[in-house]
Amino acid sequence: MLINLFLVIYGLAMCFVLFYSFAQANLLWHFFKFKDRKMPMATINDKGLPKVTVQLPIFNEKYVVERLIEAISSMHYPKEKLEIQVLDDSTDETADIINNCLKAFPEVNFKYLHRENRQGFKAGALKEGLEVAEGELIAIFDADFVPDPNFLLKTVGHFKDDKVGMVQSRWGHLNEDYSLFTRLQAFALDAHFMVEQMGRNAQKAFINFNGTGGIWRKSCILDAGDWHADTLTEDLDLSYRAQQKGWEFIYRPDVVSPAELPPVMSAIKSQQFRWTKGGAECARKHLWHVLKGTFPLKVKIHAAAHLLNSTLFIAILLVSLSSIPVWWGFYKGLIPLEYFKLAAFFLFGFVIIASVYFFANLNLSHFTFKSFLRFLWELPVFLAVSMGLSVHNAQAVWEGLTGKKSPFVRTPKYNLAVKGSNWVSNTYNQLKIPPTAYLEAILAIVFSVMVVVSIYTGTYEMLVFHSMLALGFSLVSIASFKSYMIHR
């Protein structure tokens, strides 16, 4: 019977989500063990400070590049031991802005490197810069970051241990209160940087360089094979190659590197597509090598959960679509009601995931009553929007797993820190509406109808789930059309 096929799809997808939640529970446990650990800080009087090259990969960043250069020029480190590479691939007036801005800091050792050919995109720029880098340590910051002036002093001390290859800081957020969507992004990223990174690092499982806000040992990058441009997440790719070679990574949650969150749905989708597809590409490239390696079992399990975490969007989409015929089966008596009661076991996974976000976000706000109240609405809205992004992100994951290649598309930066700032005039806004936006609108209507039908028929088994889907697809589709069509 066809209804049984949908029930199997629904059950298998829910099992995948449940097993992933078990890995998250383990990370949460180790987060509690790790969160109060103190880290050493090198001092300005330390004569043994190594020479550092700071790399700033830039491509058409006219709104934020001045802020970046001003912040980098204020870093506390001996001038004679600091080199700053401005790796500029820009094709617009950003290049002129950079050159004018650099004139204001003649005392800083800036090296301006402009490429006419964007071969390899960000990975290519970092690789070419590395070839002429003078530092034995390489710090990297994207254009939308405003680094802590003491970033280098707080991190270089770890490299006294010859086994350490990379130190990653925690991302902060310059504009998390700008809108609902920036707040939800902060909500998600804080869980990654608090529970996931800390939980993995505490048990010496593989963590990842997050593309920015980190510092590498140059010899580690070279030993791991240098930067590759065959995935959209060159940072995750290099991280896994380096750790498979035996290099150790250190995560510093107490060192914060503030950055801008995309305030527009088109920009959010651009970033999400690159992250989810790149993660799937890295799973295709590295997962088997890790699983057949001689690493401890816990490292293999967390590597699998880490590399396959973007596959959750395929599971969510399958659960969402199959839930309609499954609901019909319950309504018509084709599926025993006991099956639905048995499915309540999957709520355990939801409790785990909710706990991860609860402790990650409230730990940062010191468990205030205000932050608790905010969590009560943020969690369901975040889950709903995540479901609403499942079509877009599932496409990205499928392309990554099947090897379909696509160019590196940067996330537009806006330099919007306060409510009321206008993003409409940003020349980097994306105007082409992807086909998935129309499908999201259709699913918003479908699940809204399912909510009405469930209430009308008195069959409430899927009501909460379908309500969240209706909300999520509605928010994502409306925001998508608004951001893509505002200029038309």
Side-chain angles (χ1 to χ4, degrees):
M1 187 181 295
L2 187 60
I3 193 67
N4 290 329
L5 174 62
F6 287 113
L7 185 62
V8 169
I9 293 172
Y10 182 88
L12 290 176
M14 288 297 291
C15 285
F16 181 84
V17 176
L18 181 63
F19 290 143
Y20 174 79
S21 72
F22 289 155
Q24 294 293 95
N26 180 265
L27 294 178
L28 183 61
W29 170 255
H30 284 88
F31 158 76
F32 287 121
K33 296 170 63 176
F34 181 87
K35 68 184 182 72
D36 295 323
R37 187 180 301 179
K38 302 299 181 183
M39 295 293 183
M41 176 175 172
T43 66
I44 196 68
N45 297 319
D46 188 344
K47 296 180 180 180
L49 287 175
K51 186 158 189 178
V52 176
T53 295
V54 178
Q55 292 186 319
L56 310 176
I58 294 168
F59 174 66
N60 294 352
E61 304 286 7
K62 64 181 181 180
Y63 298 107
V64 296
V65 71
E66 289 185 77
R67 182 181 66 187
L68 170 68
I69 291 174
E70 289 173 2
I72 291 294
S73 67
S74 301
M75 296 195 87
H76 299 156
Y77 207 73
K79 300 295 183 183
E80 69 278 5
K81 292 189 176 183
L82 181 61
E83 174 193 40
I84 302 172
Q85 289 184 340
V86 182
L87 306 176
D88 184 25
D89 285 359
S90 297
T91 58
D92 65 359
E93 61 266 40
T94 300
D96 294 331
I97 295 173
I98 292 173
N99 283 301
N100 288 332
C101 189
L102 293 182
K103 293 175 183 177
F105 305 100
E107 74 283 1
V108 181
N109 184 21
F110 279 108
K111 299 289 179 64
Y112 179 72
L113 304 174
H114 186 269
R115 298 197 308 165
E116 297 292 340
N117 185 344
R118 289 191 70 212
Q119 182 176 0
F121 304 103
K122 180 181 176 180
L126 293 172
K127 184 175 182 179
E128 290 190 26
L130 192 69
E131 292 174 359
V132 295
E134 300 173 1
E136 59 184 278
L137 302 180
I138 310 292
I140 301 171
F141 291 98
D142 283 347
D144 56 326
F145 274 69
V146 182
D148 177 355
N150 290 317
F151 173 86
L152 297 177
L153 297 178
K154 293 177 179 178
T155 56
V156 298
H158 294 290
F159 292 96
K160 293 178 180 179
D161 184 343
D162 292 337
K163 298 189 295 293
V164 173
M166 192 279 297
V167 179
Q168 174 67 50
S169 67
R170 175 169 63 86
W171 289 8
H173 316 296
L174 295 171
N175 62 333
E176 64 180 292
D177 293 323
Y178 177 81
S179 70
L180 170 65
F181 291 112
T182 57
R183 182 55 229 155
L184 295 181
Q185 288 173 83
F187 185 79
L189 285 169
D190 287 343
H192 167 70
F193 280 99
M194 291 298 291
V195 173
E196 293 181 346
Q197 289 285 63
M198 290 172 66
R200 292 186 186 113
N201 203 215
Q203 52 188 316
K204 297 188 181 300
F206 289 176
I207 67 169
N208 61 296
F209 168 57
N210 291 104
T212 175
I215 181 168
W216 287 83
R217 190 188 300 273
K218 182 178 180 179
S219 58
C220 170
I221 297 175
L222 296 175
D223 181 57
D226 213 332
W227 294 100
H228 291 181
D230 57 347
T231 74
L232 294 181
T233 46
E234 72 291 323
D235 45 7
L236 179 62
D237 171 41
L238 180 60
S239 298
Y240 266 75
R241 283 189 279 118
Q243 288 170 108
Q244 288 180 79
K245 295 275 286 187
W247 290 96
E248 295 181 5
F249 285 9
I250 291 176
Y251 178 59
R252 289 290 303 271
D254 58 317
V255 180
V256 182
S257 297
E260 177 183 310
L261 296 164
V264 183
M265 183 54 69
S266 58
I268 294 171
K269 283 187 168 181
S270 174
Q271 186 179 74
Q272 287 281 309
F273 191 91
R274 190 174 69 251
W275 286 355
T276 52
K277 181 173 182 176
E281 289 175 327
C282 286
R284 192 169 185 260
K285 183 175 181 178
H286 295 294
L287 183 55
W288 175 243
H289 296 291
V290 175
L291 293 179
K292 72 176 183 179
T294 58
F295 308 105
L297 180 60
K298 65 181 180 181
V299 172
K300 295 181 179 182
I301 291 174
H302 282 296
H306 188 189
L307 291 171
L308 293 174
N309 62 5
S310 60
T311 311
L312 275 173
F313 288 104
I314 291 181
I316 291 170
L317 184 59
L318 289 175
V319 168
S320 302
L321 297 178
S322 61
S323 69
I324 297 175
V326 168
W327 171 88
W328 176 259
F330 283 123
Y331 176 62
K332 289 295 185 179
L334 302 175
I335 300 175
L337 192 58
E338 287 72 20
Y339 282 23
F340 181 79
K341 296 178 180 179
L342 183 64
F345 176 71
F346 293 121
L347 290 176
F348 185 58
F350 168 79
V351 172
I352 293 173
I353 292 173
S355 299
V356 168
Y357 287 102
F358 177 83
F359 287 105
N361 283 271
L362 268 71
N363 187 78
L364 285 173
S365 57
H366 306 291
F367 293 92
T368 63
F369 183 67
K370 180 180 178 180
S371 64
F372 173 73
L373 292 178
R374 187 170 70 176
F375 174 83
L376 292 180
W377 70 260
E378 280 183 335
L379 178 65
V381 175
F382 165 74
L383 293 175
V385 170
S386 297
M387 294 174 187
L389 285 167
S390 61
V391 172
H392 175 269
N393 288 348
Q395 178 193 357
V397 174
W398 182 254
E399 289 186 8
L401 293 176
T402 56
K404 182 179 178 181
K405 295 299 180 182
S406 57
F408 183 101
V409 179
R410 61 180 285 280
T411 303
K413 312 301 191 304
Y414 293 81
N415 197 2
L416 302 177
V418 296
K419 294 181 179 179
S421 302
N422 196 341
W423 53 264
V424 174
S425 60
N426 189 299
T427 57
Y428 303 137
N429 283 325
Q430 300 171 43
L431 305 179
K432 185 178 180 180
I433 303 175
T436 52
Y438 297 99
L439 184 54
E440 288 159 359
I442 292 172
L443 289 175
I445 296 172
V446 168
F447 286 108
S448 295
V449 170
M450 288 301 303
V451 170
V452 173
V453 171
S454 295
I455 295 174
Y456 180 77
T457 58
T459 50
Y460 304 119
E461 291 84 359
M462 297 281 187
L463 181 59
V464 174
F465 183 48
H466 286 166
S467 297
M468 293 182 69
L469 287 167
L471 175 63
F473 282 117
S474 296
L475 287 173
V476 170
S477 60
I478 292 171
S480 295
F481 285 113
K482 179 181 178 181
S483 63
Y484 286 115
M485 300 181 69
I486 194 70
H487 296 287
R488 295 177 184 270

